[in-house]
Amino acid sequence: MSNAPLSIRALMADAQWLAHRYDPGHDAFQFRHVSRVHHAAIPFLTDEHLGEDAPLTLRRSDAIAETPASAPIHFIFHSAYCCSTLLAAALDIPGTAMGLKEPVLLNDLIGWRHRGAQGPQVARVLDEGMHLLARPMEAGETVIVKPSNIVNPLISAMMGMRPQARALFLHAPLNAYLASIARKGMWGRLWVRDLFGKFMREGMLAPLGIAPDQYLALTDIQIAAAGWLAQQYQFQTLARQLGDRVATLNSETLIAHPTESLKALA
């Protein structure tokens, strides 16, 4: 990569400059240079896997003003540990599609909302963030974003802002999901409790009928199961609302019938 300075317009025209983070304190987007080869080599678009290069920071208004028209965008929403990363990687088809694996920009908006950001503020940056993520690597490509499942509370807003978008709701069966959590030991148990807390803030646990004063009495595996159930309830509700814009898939079906599954998704 050249060290010569790039104009904002040239940078925005190059999808290798990934819209990586949003900094609400400075109302700025941070970009990281990520080649297609690098995308394929890493599981997630997180700092841990992107390396230690300093990000390039642009004011939100400057970045959006110079961003070209978006490519078509679709989504893989999931309940975790269900082959979603594998599927997003399979959709890296040069000239046809590019899968983005858990861009942190979307996670940032959940954190910002939990710190008190107002709905219209989050909606504006979510809309603009999706616009930045939908820059294709090659002309004619579709961009398929697989967010982290902590972004699931934003599914309704994302699909509403992009009426042409379609989505896959992907999940693992409960027993398989719980086994994945148990195998990860303490890290897995801490992760499901953190996820449970985030879903609680979003009101996603209310349909389960568990009283808040009972939460601390739940075991780690019960917490994991409750989080899984909350996501299944959300997926079923949105699938009814969105109709043929949504497909659903069980990870065991994907593994047992990969060719048929991919054909149906395509």
Side-chain angles (χ1 to χ4, degrees), residues 9 32 45 49 52 92 95 121 135 162 175 180 188 191 212 266:
R9 179 169 297 180
R32 297 287 299 273
L45 295 170
H49 298 291
E52 298 180 355
D92 176 11
Q121 294 177 299
R135 293 174 296 147
R162 295 295 182 273
N175 286 344
S180 295
W191 181 81

Side-chain angles (χ1 to χ4, degrees), residues 7-154:
S7 70
I8 295 177
R9 179 169 297 180
L11 188 148
M12 291 295 96
D14 183 357
Q16 293 184 104
W17 284 99
L18 171 73
H20 176 51
R21 305 293 301 262
Y22 174 68
D23 176 1
H26 296 91
D27 193 20
F29 289 112
Q30 296 179 359
F31 295 83
R32 297 287 299 273
H33 192 272
V34 188
S35 69
R36 191 163 206 149
V37 171
H38 197 175
H39 272 275
I42 59 178
F44 306 115
L45 295 170
T46 59
D47 290 308
E48 175 187 1
H49 298 291
L50 291 177
E52 298 180 355
D53 290 348
L56 188 153
T57 300
L58 294 175
R59 288 186 301 180
R60 180 185 56 82
S61 57
D62 291 343
I64 294 302
E66 298 294 347
T67 301
S70 297
I73 187 171
H74 304 296
F75 302 99
I76 299 172
F77 298 116
H78 60 96
S79 57
Y81 304 114
C82 54
C83 304
S84 57
T85 301
L86 176 67
L87 184 55
L91 294 170
D92 176 11
I93 307 168
T96 299
M98 179 67 190
L100 301 182
K101 296 170 288 189
E102 305 202 4
V104 181
L105 170 59
L106 299 175
N107 301 29
D108 285 343
L109 300 187
I110 289 290
W112 187 32
R113 186 152 81 164
H114 291 173
R115 295 191 301 274
Q118 298 302 302
Q121 294 177 299
V122 177
R124 179 194 64 200
V125 180
L126 175 61
D127 182 37
E128 294 173 346
M130 289 191 292
H131 184 49
L132 293 172
L133 291 173
R135 293 174 296 147
M137 285 281 184
E138 297 183 19
E141 286 186 345
T142 292
V143 175
I144 301 167
V145 179
K146 186 209 85 155
S148 164
N149 71 320
I150 68 169
V151 177
N152 285 355
L154 296 177

Side-chain angles (χ1 to χ4, degrees), residues 2 12 26 32 97 156 164 195-196 198 235:
S2 170
M12 291 295 96
H26 296 91
R32 297 287 299 273
S156 183
Q164 302 306 313
L195 184 69
F196 187 90
K198 289 182 170 67
F235 286 176

